[in-house]
Amino acid sequence: MSCGCEFSAQVVGSGSVWKRGDTTKPSPSRPNGASDIYRPDILKHIEETLKELDHELRELSLDIHAHPQIAYEEHHAHDVLTKFMAKHGFEVTEHYLLETAWRATFTHREGGRTIGVNSEMDALPGVGHACGHNLIAISGVGVAIAIKKALENFSLIGTVELLGTPAEEIGDGKVQLLEKGAYKGMSACLMCHPAPGPIGSVSLTKSLALEIIKVEYSGHTAHAALSPWEGRNAQDAAVLAYNNIAALRQQLLPTNRVHGIFEGQDWVPNIIPDKSKMTFVLCSSLWCICDSSMNVLRFYVRAPTRLEVKLTMKRVIPCFEAASVATGCAVNITTTSGVFDLRQNSALGAEVADIVTAKYGAIDYEWGIKNASTDFNQIKAIPTVNGGGNHTSGFEQSAGTIEAHYACIDITKALAATGLRVLTDDQFFAKVRRVSV
């Protein structure tokens, strides 16, 4: 979700990134805007609810952060989150449609709309919660409980449905859940994601469409010193393909991204590897390369739209095929269905922007994940370190800080208030539907 409106005096974009240790505290960029807020009594109740939950949410975040599990293996997060939601009065469905997915629902009075919320849970191989999904998990929990409490306190009509969504990093978990019908019946669905950015900012940027390519080269083994001519070197094919892509990049649009890896331990395409190992054998004063019978490459292709991804793919695929021809190795190229570019809903975003700028911080259009991809998102800045953006060990540490926790709580308040407006304001909901893309 996002804001398509202009907040000229309140938008940030060129400000310095929020660093760990900064003494400046987040403050509203539009402090006189509180009168614009829909149902300030509801927002106040949300703030009080999240204040009461603060200690529990902090403990839950640190628990998930300390037990990182990758795509479709988020068993610990699944168990602690479902137990938490059941304790707070939700009807919980464990292992919902996917092994580590789950659902928690609460309905107050019959006949109203349903607001959906996502809690991501998965970590990254090798670097743990270096994308801050422990924060996303507790934000979803906080939004859902705050909405539940408000529905009860103000005797409002509506349903809140929280989904525990696995495998955002690798596996398109929400796409799988969508295809299985998990989002059917929701009037809207909300979530947030941490990233670097200016102090107290919420980024309302778009994100790129994505296609994943797996390339396998099959050759023929041979003794690397005794009879190398009998081999067909799959490693050479992989290296050639990688270099072909490197040469192609200078002809691609600056908005497009193509990046990949040779598969290895804890290697995934969306983390730049920090360790590698090569073994060479020296014989008769000549370097002899060991012939590999199979080598695997995995690449991500990104662009601002799905159409542009498809056009870029037409240039990328021949790079892999050419390496096969040059080395005499067989090649098998498989692609995923990928994810679409994120197109923000301006009505939902405008509501979040109103609340954030009046109460908690500022709106940003430059940071966030506009040059990355996701299966669902909205971005909240947290304090980081130099070179410590998403998917780094520095960001993994940042995701566990108390400053990141309270940044997460602020956006949670705005999302909960926005969700309640979807449930209670017919004219606003009609606008949300009208501007949906």
Side-chain angles (χ1 to χ4, degrees), residues 14-91:
S14 58
S16 60
V17 68
W18 193 1
K19 298 295 185 185
R20 293 213 310 256
D22 282 348
T23 57
T24 303
K25 301 297 183 183
S27 60
S29 60
R30 199 171 53 96
N32 297 321
S35 60
D36 297 334
I37 292 175
Y38 171 79
R39 293 291 302 268
D41 56 332
I42 288 180
L43 180 58
K44 182 180 179 182
H45 189 271
I46 289 169
E47 292 175 329
E48 291 170 349
T49 298
L50 290 171
K51 185 176 181 179
E52 292 173 3
L53 286 171
D54 182 60
H55 181 67
E56 287 184 83
L57 291 175
R58 175 67 172 156
E59 285 191 338
L60 183 61
S61 173
L62 292 177
D63 186 5
I64 296 169
H65 188 270
H67 297 88
Q69 294 173 315
I70 63 172
Y72 299 117
E73 297 178 13
E74 309 95 333
H75 301 288
H76 179 82
H78 171 282
D79 293 347
V80 297
L81 287 163
T82 53
K83 182 179 178 181
F84 192 93
M85 297 308 293
K87 182 180 74 170
H88 284 276
F90 283 74
E91 181 182 341

Side-chain angles (χ1 to χ4, degrees), residues 18 26 200 202 380-383 402-412:
W18 193 1
V202 172
K380 172 63 180 177
I382 66 170
I402 190 65
E403 293 85 1
H405 172 76
Y406 283 118
C408 175
I409 295 299
D410 280 347
I411 186 61
T412 298

Side-chain angles (χ1 to χ4, degrees), residues 6 14 24 38 100 165 216 219 227 274 324 339 350 362 400:
E6 292 298 327
S14 58
T24 303
Y38 171 79
T100 53
T165 59
E216 297 176 274
S227 53
D274 61 353
S324 169
V339 296

Side-chain angles (χ1 to χ4, degrees), residues 178-195:
L178 177 67
E179 292 175 348
K180 292 177 181 291
Y183 293 92
K184 187 176 181 180
M186 291 184 185
S187 300
C189 191
L190 310 172
M191 69 167 284
C192 66
H193 196 299

Side-chain angles (χ1 to χ4, degrees), residues 127 267 271-276:
V127 285
W267 288 7
I271 302 177
I272 295 175
D274 61 353
K275 291 182 175 65
S276 63

Side-chain angles (χ1 to χ4, degrees), residues 199-264:
I199 292 175
S201 64
V202 172
S203 181
L204 298 176
T205 57
K206 298 179 179 180
S207 67
L208 304 179
L210 167 70
E211 185 94 19
I212 302 173
I213 310 169
K214 183 179 180 181
V215 184
E216 297 176 274
Y217 291 103
S218 300
H220 181 69
T221 57
H223 194 291
L226 186 63
S227 53
W229 52 86
E230 294 180 355
R232 295 292 180 270
N233 196 324
Q235 178 176 266
D236 281 349
V239 170
L240 282 174
Y242 192 93
N243 287 332
N244 289 345
I245 295 295
L248 173 65
R249 283 195 185 102
Q250 64 179 315
Q251 275 81 51
L252 295 177
L253 291 170
T255 52
N256 294 5
R257 301 286 188 272
V258 182
H259 47 96
I261 57 159
F262 299 88
E263 289 198 342

